[in-house]
Amino acid sequence: MTDAPATPAARPITLITGASRGIGRAIAERLAADGHDLALTYRERRDAAEEVADACRALGARVELFEVDFADLEAADRLVPEVVAALGAMTGLVNNAGITGRIGGFLDAPIEESELVFRINVLAPIVVTRAAIAHMSTDLGGSGGAIVNISSGAATNGSPHTYVPYAMSKAALNILTLGTAREFAAAGVRVNTVSPGTTYTEIHAAAGRPNAPEERAPRIPMQRAGHPHEIAGAVAYLLSDDASYTTGTDIRVAGGN
Ligand code: NDP
């Protein structure tokens, strides 16, 4: 008697926000290598996003690109249904897109900038996560899924003299993880956080301090900033079956800080 041929397992379908560069790009390439099909968002750098998509396709992934500015919460709300229409039932979400605001003292941070930081880093993830959970929840007819929120070490150190409102926004994101993890644990949806320390990306130039990784290195126990692929590994683990009993937790990838 011969065994029946195994049915190939369905490929995970994962949405990554802000995947045109930096940590989001590294996550996309790692997940493509791990066998995910991908929905990738970018705000304005279409060429960079196309490059990431090509790299992921070369690794065997189906990839769709979505242009979305998360300052527009209505556009954020349309994203998950658009992804499902393009690729099929979504099994994973990585809330990665984020901004810091300009580096400086707390008294100098304009309130309009703090408002935008909260819109991109907190309100948009709430909107996208609600749509993702509504789609994934087994209580609502979905097949379950996993969500990873990209927070920051800033959430627990407050980032004095640097960007207190950004640190506040990431602390709020940590509670999005905890609350939704517990509310939807019995509905097949796992939610976790990855908290990078300072990582080599363009986010520091946008904050006005392109050399921040080198400047901060002496205060990091490992004496260096991280690389995007070192963050991506933790995300890949949390989205994998190896993490099937892991929810509501935070993996800090910060060189000892
Ligand atoms: P980058 O600035 O390198 O990349 C940001 C990504 O987000 C890009 O894909 C960008 O798209 C997109 N994006 C930016 N603004 C918006 C917006 N308004 N709407 C939609 N998409 C937007 O950032 P990093 O890779 O450094 O950061 C990724 C995440 O990691 C963030 O949440 C950040 O807070 C967090 N983090 C980063 C650390 C670091 O040291 N780098 C440390 C700790 C946490 P486009 O290219 O089209 O502009």
Side-chain angles (χ1 to χ4, degrees), residues 8-42:
R11 291 170 62 88
I13 296 175
T14 302
L15 165 61
I16 307 168
T17 67
S20 47
R21 52 199 167 91
I23 292 170
R25 175 181 186 145
I27 295 168
E29 293 180 4
R30 170 61 191 263
L31 294 184
D34 284 1
H36 292 239
D37 289 332
L38 297 170
L40 308 177
T41 82
Y42 64 99

PDB file of all heavy atoms in Angstrom, residues 8-42:
ATOM      1  N   PRO A   8      -0.155  19.816  -0.518  1.00  0.00           N
ATOM      2  CA  PRO A   8       0.772  20.881  -0.118  1.00  0.00           C
ATOM      3  C   PRO A   8       0.070  21.876   0.810  1.00  0.00           C
ATOM      4  O   PRO A   8      -1.092  22.228   0.571  1.00  0.00           O
ATOM      5  CB  PRO A   8       1.165  21.540  -1.442  1.00  0.00           C
ATOM      6  CG  PRO A   8       0.268  20.988  -2.493  1.00  0.00           C
ATOM      7  CD  PRO A   8      -0.453  19.800  -1.935  1.00  0.00           C
ATOM      8  N   ALA A   9       0.770  22.272   1.890  1.00  0.00           N
ATOM      9  CA  ALA A   9       0.180  23.233   2.831  1.00  0.00           C
ATOM     10  C   ALA A   9      -0.021  24.562   2.110  1.00  0.00           C
ATOM     11  O   ALA A   9       0.794  24.941   1.262  1.00  0.00           O
ATOM     12  CB  ALA A   9       1.112  23.409   4.016  1.00  0.00           C
ATOM     13  N   ALA A  10      -1.120  25.257   2.458  1.00  0.00           N
ATOM     14  CA  ALA A  10      -1.370  26.560   1.846  1.00  0.00           C
ATOM     15  C   ALA A  10      -0.259  27.522   2.275  1.00  0.00           C
ATOM     16  O   ALA A  10       0.220  27.460   3.399  1.00  0.00           O
ATOM     17  CB  ALA A  10      -2.722  27.081   2.297  1.00  0.00           C
ATOM     18  N   ARG A  11       0.155  28.392   1.374  1.00  0.00           N
ATOM     19  CA  ARG A  11       1.190  29.372   1.724  1.00  0.00           C
ATOM     20  C   ARG A  11       0.572  30.477   2.565  1.00  0.00           C
ATOM     21  O   ARG A  11      -0.530  30.941   2.260  1.00  0.00           O
ATOM     22  CB  ARG A  11       1.782  29.967   0.444  1.00  0.00           C
ATOM     23  CG  ARG A  11       2.618  28.972  -0.355  1.00  0.00           C
ATOM     24  CD  ARG A  11       2.961  29.540  -1.726  1.00  0.00           C
ATOM     25  NE  ARG A  11       3.760  30.762  -1.653  1.00  0.00           N
ATOM     26  CZ  ARG A  11       5.093  30.768  -1.596  1.00  0.00           C
ATOM     27  NH1 ARG A  11       5.769  29.650  -1.619  1.00  0.00           N
ATOM     28  NH2 ARG A  11       5.758  31.906  -1.538  1.00  0.00           N
ATOM     29  N   PRO A  12       1.266  30.917   3.615  1.00  0.00           N
ATOM     30  CA  PRO A  12       0.769  32.056   4.382  1.00  0.00           C
ATOM     31  C   PRO A  12       0.721  33.310   3.500  1.00  0.00           C
ATOM     32  O   PRO A  12       1.550  33.466   2.590  1.00  0.00           O
ATOM     33  CB  PRO A  12       1.784  32.221   5.514  1.00  0.00           C
ATOM     34  CG  PRO A  12       2.905  31.303   5.245  1.00  0.00           C
ATOM     35  CD  PRO A  12       2.529  30.371   4.138  1.00  0.00           C
ATOM     36  N   ILE A  13      -0.250  34.150   3.761  1.00  0.00           N
ATOM     37  CA  ILE A  13      -0.382  35.421   3.028  1.00  0.00           C
ATOM     38  C   ILE A  13      -0.275  36.551   4.050  1.00  0.00           C
ATOM     39  O   ILE A  13      -1.127  36.684   4.932  1.00  0.00           O
ATOM     40  CB  ILE A  13      -1.723  35.486   2.276  1.00  0.00           C
ATOM     41  CG1 ILE A  13      -1.758  34.382   1.209  1.00  0.00           C
ATOM     42  CG2 ILE A  13      -1.925  36.872   1.656  1.00  0.00           C
ATOM     43  CD1 ILE A  13      -3.081  34.269   0.473  1.00  0.00           C
ATOM     44  N   THR A  14       0.780  37.335   3.932  1.00  0.00           N
ATOM     45  CA  THR A  14       1.121  38.299   4.990  1.00  0.00           C
ATOM     46  C   THR A  14       1.213  39.716   4.433  1.00  0.00           C
ATOM     47  O   THR A  14       1.859  39.957   3.405  1.00  0.00           O
ATOM     48  CB  THR A  14       2.460  37.889   5.644  1.00  0.00           C
ATOM     49  OG1 THR A  14       2.328  36.556   6.152  1.00  0.00           O
ATOM     50  CG2 THR A  14       2.834  38.829   6.770  1.00  0.00           C
ATOM     51  N   LEU A  15       0.573  40.634   5.146  1.00  0.00           N
ATOM     52  CA  LEU A  15       0.624  42.062   4.830  1.00  0.00           C
ATOM     53  C   LEU A  15       1.690  42.724   5.695  1.00  0.00           C
ATOM     54  O   LEU A  15       1.663  42.581   6.924  1.00  0.00           O
ATOM     55  CB  LEU A  15      -0.754  42.688   5.111  1.00  0.00           C
ATOM     56  CG  LEU A  15      -0.848  44.214   5.194  1.00  0.00           C
ATOM     57  CD1 LEU A  15      -0.433  44.883   3.887  1.00  0.00           C
ATOM     58  CD2 LEU A  15      -2.282  44.635   5.578  1.00  0.00           C
ATOM     59  N   ILE A  16       2.613  43.433   5.050  1.00  0.00           N
ATOM     60  CA  ILE A  16       3.654  44.181   5.777  1.00  0.00           C
ATOM     61  C   ILE A  16       3.505  45.656   5.413  1.00  0.00           C
ATOM     62  O   ILE A  16       3.596  46.023   4.233  1.00  0.00           O
ATOM     63  CB  ILE A  16       5.072  43.727   5.393  1.00  0.00           C
ATOM     64  CG1 ILE A  16       5.224  42.209   5.542  1.00  0.00           C
ATOM     65  CG2 ILE A  16       6.118  44.451   6.242  1.00  0.00           C
ATOM     66  CD1 ILE A  16       6.513  41.666   4.903  1.00  0.00           C
ATOM     67  N   THR A  17       3.304  46.513   6.406  1.00  0.00           N
ATOM     68  CA  THR A  17       3.201  47.942   6.101  1.00  0.00           C
ATOM     69  C   THR A  17       4.608  48.557   6.107  1.00  0.00           C
ATOM     70  O   THR A  17       5.483  48.131   6.858  1.00  0.00           O
ATOM     71  CB  THR A  17       2.293  48.681   7.112  1.00  0.00           C
ATOM     72  OG1 THR A  17       2.913  48.671   8.407  1.00  0.00           O
ATOM     73  CG2 THR A  17       0.922  48.036   7.181  1.00  0.00           C
ATOM     74  N   GLY A  18       4.799  49.548   5.229  1.00  0.00           N
ATOM     75  CA  GLY A  18       6.095  50.231   5.157  1.00  0.00           C
ATOM     76  C   GLY A  18       7.214  49.301   4.766  1.00  0.00           C
ATOM     77  O   GLY A  18       8.259  49.232   5.430  1.00  0.00           O
ATOM     78  N   ALA A  19       7.033  48.607   3.639  1.00  0.00           N
ATOM     79  CA  ALA A  19       8.003  47.560   3.254  1.00  0.00           C
ATOM     80  C   ALA A  19       8.920  48.001   2.130  1.00  0.00           C
ATOM     81  O   ALA A  19       9.635  47.187   1.558  1.00  0.00           O
ATOM     82  CB  ALA A  19       7.265  46.288   2.874  1.00  0.00           C
ATOM     83  N   SER A  20       8.931  49.289   1.775  1.00  0.00           N
ATOM     84  CA  SER A  20       9.754  49.729   0.650  1.00  0.00           C
ATOM     85  C   SER A  20      11.218  49.876   1.024  1.00  0.00           C
ATOM     86  O   SER A  20      12.069  50.005   0.138  1.00  0.00           O
ATOM     87  CB  SER A  20       9.218  51.057   0.099  1.00  0.00           C
ATOM     88  OG  SER A  20       8.970  51.944   1.161  1.00  0.00           O
ATOM     89  N   ARG A  21      11.516  49.911   2.321  1.00  0.00           N
ATOM     90  CA  ARG A  21      12.930  50.042   2.735  1.00  0.00           C
ATOM     91  C   ARG A  21      13.081  49.681   4.210  1.00  0.00           C
ATOM     92  O   ARG A  21      12.098  49.352   4.877  1.00  0.00           O
ATOM     93  CB  ARG A  21      13.448  51.465   2.466  1.00  0.00           C
ATOM     94  CG  ARG A  21      12.565  52.548   3.049  1.00  0.00           C
ATOM     95  CD  ARG A  21      12.860  53.895   2.370  1.00  0.00           C
ATOM     96  NE  ARG A  21      11.832  54.868   2.687  1.00  0.00           N
ATOM     97  CZ  ARG A  21      11.890  55.703   3.716  1.00  0.00           C
ATOM     98  NH1 ARG A  21      12.917  55.667   4.543  1.00  0.00           N
ATOM     99  NH2 ARG A  21      10.918  56.559   3.943  1.00  0.00           N
ATOM    100  N   GLY A  22      14.314  49.736   4.672  1.00  0.00           N
ATOM    101  CA  GLY A  22      14.585  49.571   6.098  1.00  0.00           C
ATOM    102  C   GLY A  22      14.140  48.223   6.647  1.00  0.00           C
ATOM    103  O   GLY A  22      14.284  47.173   6.013  1.00  0.00           O
ATOM    104  N   ILE A  23      13.590  48.247   7.844  1.00  0.00           N
ATOM    105  CA  ILE A  23      13.207  47.021   8.540  1.00  0.00           C
ATOM    106  C   ILE A  23      12.089  46.302   7.780  1.00  0.00           C
ATOM    107  O   ILE A  23      12.095  45.066   7.660  1.00  0.00           O
ATOM    108  CB  ILE A  23      12.793  47.366   9.994  1.00  0.00           C
ATOM    109  CG1 ILE A  23      14.031  47.829  10.789  1.00  0.00           C
ATOM    110  CG2 ILE A  23      12.124  46.175  10.674  1.00  0.00           C
ATOM    111  CD1 ILE A  23      13.717  48.431  12.151  1.00  0.00           C
ATOM    112  N   GLY A  24      11.138  47.053   7.223  1.00  0.00           N
ATOM    113  CA  GLY A  24      10.033  46.436   6.478  1.00  0.00           C
ATOM    114  C   GLY A  24      10.540  45.655   5.275  1.00  0.00           C
ATOM    115  O   GLY A  24      10.046  44.562   4.975  1.00  0.00           O
ATOM    116  N   ARG A  25      11.535  46.201   4.600  1.00  0.00           N
ATOM    117  CA  ARG A  25      12.113  45.501   3.444  1.00  0.00           C
ATOM    118  C   ARG A  25      12.750  44.181   3.892  1.00  0.00           C
ATOM    119  O   ARG A  25      12.549  43.133   3.267  1.00  0.00           O
ATOM    120  CB  ARG A  25      13.174  46.380   2.758  1.00  0.00           C
ATOM    121  CG  ARG A  25      13.860  45.633   1.650  1.00  0.00           C
ATOM    122  CD  ARG A  25      14.938  46.395   0.922  1.00  0.00           C
ATOM    123  NE  ARG A  25      15.370  45.564  -0.204  1.00  0.00           N
ATOM    124  CZ  ARG A  25      15.744  45.998  -1.378  1.00  0.00           C
ATOM    125  NH1 ARG A  25      15.790  47.281  -1.618  1.00  0.00           N
ATOM    126  NH2 ARG A  25      16.084  45.166  -2.332  1.00  0.00           N
ATOM    127  N   ALA A  26      13.520  44.242   4.978  1.00  0.00           N
ATOM    128  CA  ALA A  26      14.190  43.024   5.474  1.00  0.00           C
ATOM    129  C   ALA A  26      13.161  41.972   5.885  1.00  0.00           C
ATOM    130  O   ALA A  26      13.355  40.774   5.646  1.00  0.00           O
ATOM    131  CB  ALA A  26      15.099  43.373   6.650  1.00  0.00           C
ATOM    132  N   ILE A  27      12.068  42.417   6.494  1.00  0.00           N
ATOM    133  CA  ILE A  27      11.013  41.472   6.885  1.00  0.00           C
ATOM    134  C   ILE A  27      10.417  40.827   5.628  1.00  0.00           C
ATOM    135  O   ILE A  27      10.192  39.612   5.575  1.00  0.00           O
ATOM    136  CB  ILE A  27       9.920  42.182   7.721  1.00  0.00           C
ATOM    137  CG1 ILE A  27      10.496  42.683   9.054  1.00  0.00           C
ATOM    138  CG2 ILE A  27       8.729  41.249   7.962  1.00  0.00           C
ATOM    139  CD1 ILE A  27       9.572  43.637   9.811  1.00  0.00           C
ATOM    140  N   ALA A  28      10.171  41.648   4.605  1.00  0.00           N
ATOM    141  CA  ALA A  28       9.578  41.122   3.363  1.00  0.00           C
ATOM    142  C   ALA A  28      10.485  40.042   2.758  1.00  0.00           C
ATOM    143  O   ALA A  28      10.016  38.956   2.393  1.00  0.00           O
ATOM    144  CB  ALA A  28       9.355  42.258   2.366  1.00  0.00           C
ATOM    145  N   GLU A  29      11.776  40.335   2.672  1.00  0.00           N
ATOM    146  CA  GLU A  29      12.688  39.375   2.028  1.00  0.00           C
ATOM    147  C   GLU A  29      12.820  38.107   2.866  1.00  0.00           C
ATOM    148  O   GLU A  29      12.887  37.004   2.325  1.00  0.00           O
ATOM    149  CB  GLU A  29      14.029  40.055   1.748  1.00  0.00           C
ATOM    150  CG  GLU A  29      13.845  41.151   0.688  1.00  0.00           C
ATOM    151  CD  GLU A  29      15.107  41.907   0.312  1.00  0.00           C
ATOM    152  OE1 GLU A  29      16.193  41.563   0.809  1.00  0.00           O
ATOM    153  OE2 GLU A  29      14.987  42.857  -0.472  1.00  0.00           O
ATOM    154  N   ARG A  30      12.817  38.258   4.179  1.00  0.00           N
ATOM    155  CA  ARG A  30      12.913  37.071   5.041  1.00  0.00           C
ATOM    156  C   ARG A  30      11.648  36.204   4.923  1.00  0.00           C
ATOM    157  O   ARG A  30      11.708  34.981   4.799  1.00  0.00           O
ATOM    158  CB  ARG A  30      13.134  37.512   6.490  1.00  0.00           C
ATOM    159  CG  ARG A  30      13.003  36.399   7.511  1.00  0.00           C
ATOM    160  CD  ARG A  30      14.046  35.295   7.254  1.00  0.00           C
ATOM    161  NE  ARG A  30      13.735  34.133   8.072  1.00  0.00           N
ATOM    162  CZ  ARG A  30      14.301  33.858   9.241  1.00  0.00           C
ATOM    163  NH1 ARG A  30      15.214  34.661   9.727  1.00  0.00           N
ATOM    164  NH2 ARG A  30      13.946  32.790   9.914  1.00  0.00           N
ATOM    165  N   LEU A  31      10.480  36.868   4.936  1.00  0.00           N
ATOM    166  CA  LEU A  31       9.229  36.091   4.861  1.00  0.00           C
ATOM    167  C   LEU A  31       9.083  35.439   3.484  1.00  0.00           C
ATOM    168  O   LEU A  31       8.572  34.317   3.364  1.00  0.00           O
ATOM    169  CB  LEU A  31       8.022  36.966   5.188  1.00  0.00           C
ATOM    170  CG  LEU A  31       7.949  37.495   6.625  1.00  0.00           C
ATOM    171  CD1 LEU A  31       6.643  38.263   6.844  1.00  0.00           C
ATOM    172  CD2 LEU A  31       8.082  36.376   7.663  1.00  0.00           C
ATOM    173  N   ALA A  32       9.529  36.121   2.433  1.00  0.00           N
ATOM    174  CA  ALA A  32       9.492  35.505   1.098  1.00  0.00           C
ATOM    175  C   ALA A  32      10.350  34.242   1.092  1.00  0.00           C
ATOM    176  O   ALA A  32       9.934  33.196   0.578  1.00  0.00           O
ATOM    177  CB  ALA A  32       9.985  36.499   0.041  1.00  0.00           C
ATOM    178  N   ALA A  33      11.524  34.320   1.700  1.00  0.00           N
ATOM    179  CA  ALA A  33      12.412  33.144   1.771  1.00  0.00           C
ATOM    180  C   ALA A  33      11.768  32.030   2.588  1.00  0.00           C
ATOM    181  O   ALA A  33      12.011  30.848   2.329  1.00  0.00           O
ATOM    182  CB  ALA A  33      13.755  33.541   2.383  1.00  0.00           C
ATOM    183  N   ASP A  34      10.933  32.415   3.564  1.00  0.00           N
ATOM    184  CA  ASP A  34      10.260  31.419   4.418  1.00  0.00           C
ATOM    185  C   ASP A  34       8.971  30.872   3.776  1.00  0.00           C
ATOM    186  O   ASP A  34       8.267  30.092   4.408  1.00  0.00           O
ATOM    187  CB  ASP A  34       9.905  32.041   5.774  1.00  0.00           C
ATOM    188  CG  ASP A  34      11.130  32.181   6.681  1.00  0.00           C
ATOM    189  OD1 ASP A  34      12.238  31.811   6.258  1.00  0.00           O
ATOM    190  OD2 ASP A  34      10.965  32.674   7.814  1.00  0.00           O
ATOM    191  N   GLY A  35       8.623  31.345   2.583  1.00  0.00           N
ATOM    192  CA  GLY A  35       7.473  30.768   1.886  1.00  0.00           C
ATOM    193  C   GLY A  35       6.165  31.535   1.999  1.00  0.00           C
ATOM    194  O   GLY A  35       5.103  30.998   1.686  1.00  0.00           O
ATOM    195  N   HIS A  36       6.237  32.806   2.420  1.00  0.00           N
ATOM    196  CA  HIS A  36       5.009  33.618   2.479  1.00  0.00           C
ATOM    197  C   HIS A  36       4.733  34.266   1.121  1.00  0.00           C
ATOM    198  O   HIS A  36       5.664  34.662   0.418  1.00  0.00           O
ATOM    199  CB  HIS A  36       5.165  34.766   3.480  1.00  0.00           C
ATOM    200  CG  HIS A  36       5.253  34.357   4.913  1.00  0.00           C
ATOM    201  ND1 HIS A  36       4.360  34.793   5.866  1.00  0.00           N
ATOM    202  CD2 HIS A  36       6.132  33.559   5.566  1.00  0.00           C
ATOM    203  CE1 HIS A  36       4.700  34.279   7.043  1.00  0.00           C
ATOM    204  NE2 HIS A  36       5.774  33.530   6.892  1.00  0.00           N
ATOM    205  N   ASP A  37       3.466  34.436   0.791  1.00  0.00           N
ATOM    206  CA  ASP A  37       3.067  35.390  -0.246  1.00  0.00           C
ATOM    207  C   ASP A  37       2.833  36.719   0.466  1.00  0.00           C
ATOM    208  O   ASP A  37       2.453  36.747   1.640  1.00  0.00           O
ATOM    209  CB  ASP A  37       1.811  34.914  -0.968  1.00  0.00           C
ATOM    210  CG  ASP A  37       2.106  33.701  -1.848  1.00  0.00           C
ATOM    211  OD1 ASP A  37       3.260  33.570  -2.304  1.00  0.00           O
ATOM    212  OD2 ASP A  37       1.182  32.900  -2.068  1.00  0.00           O
ATOM    213  N   LEU A  38       3.028  37.830  -0.259  1.00  0.00           N
ATOM    214  CA  LEU A  38       3.156  39.111   0.438  1.00  0.00           C
ATOM    215  C   LEU A  38       2.350  40.245  -0.176  1.00  0.00           C
ATOM    216  O   LEU A  38       2.330  40.418  -1.399  1.00  0.00           O
ATOM    217  CB  LEU A  38       4.631  39.534   0.449  1.00  0.00           C
ATOM    218  CG  LEU A  38       5.589  38.610   1.205  1.00  0.00           C
ATOM    219  CD1 LEU A  38       7.034  39.007   0.924  1.00  0.00           C
ATOM    220  CD2 LEU A  38       5.299  38.634   2.708  1.00  0.00           C
ATOM    221  N   ALA A  39       1.726  41.023   0.700  1.00  0.00           N
ATOM    222  CA  ALA A  39       1.167  42.325   0.337  1.00  0.00           C
ATOM    223  C   ALA A  39       2.049  43.364   1.009  1.00  0.00           C
ATOM    224  O   ALA A  39       2.229  43.320   2.232  1.00  0.00           O
ATOM    225  CB  ALA A  39      -0.265  42.441   0.838  1.00  0.00           C
ATOM    226  N   LEU A  40       2.629  44.251   0.220  1.00  0.00           N
ATOM    227  CA  LEU A  40       3.597  45.220   0.742  1.00  0.00           C
ATOM    228  C   LEU A  40       3.085  46.631   0.513  1.00  0.00           C
ATOM    229  O   LEU A  40       2.644  46.951  -0.590  1.00  0.00           O
ATOM    230  CB  LEU A  40       4.948  45.052   0.028  1.00  0.00           C
ATOM    231  CG  LEU A  40       5.539  43.638  -0.011  1.00  0.00           C
ATOM    232  CD1 LEU A  40       6.851  43.643  -0.814  1.00  0.00           C
ATOM    233  CD2 LEU A  40       5.767  43.106   1.407  1.00  0.00           C
ATOM    234  N   THR A  41       3.166  47.472   1.554  1.00  0.00           N
ATOM    235  CA  THR A  41       2.756  48.857   1.339  1.00  0.00           C
ATOM    236  C   THR A  41       3.965  49.788   1.315  1.00  0.00           C
ATOM    237  O   THR A  41       5.008  49.504   1.883  1.00  0.00           O
ATOM    238  CB  THR A  41       1.765  49.369   2.412  1.00  0.00           C
ATOM    239  OG1 THR A  41       2.469  49.793   3.586  1.00  0.00           O
ATOM    240  CG2 THR A  41       0.718  48.328   2.767  1.00  0.00           C
ATOM    241  N   TYR A  42       3.761  50.904   0.624  1.00  0.00           N
ATOM    242  CA  TYR A  42       4.739  51.995   0.618  1.00  0.00           C
ATOM    243  C   TYR A  42       3.931  53.278   0.589  1.00  0.00           C
ATOM    244  O   TYR A  42       2.733  53.265   0.276  1.00  0.00           O
ATOM    245  CB  TYR A  42       5.665  51.903  -0.611  1.00  0.00           C
ATOM    246  CG  TYR A  42       4.925  52.077  -1.920  1.00  0.00           C
ATOM    247  CD1 TYR A  42       4.911  53.308  -2.577  1.00  0.00           C
ATOM    248  CD2 TYR A  42       4.194  51.025  -2.477  1.00  0.00           C
ATOM    249  CE1 TYR A  42       4.207  53.484  -3.753  1.00  0.00           C
ATOM    250  CE2 TYR A  42       3.477  51.194  -3.654  1.00  0.00           C
ATOM    251  CZ  TYR A  42       3.489  52.428  -4.276  1.00  0.00           C
ATOM    252  OH  TYR A  42       2.765  52.594  -5.434  1.00  0.00           O
TER     253      TYR A  42
END
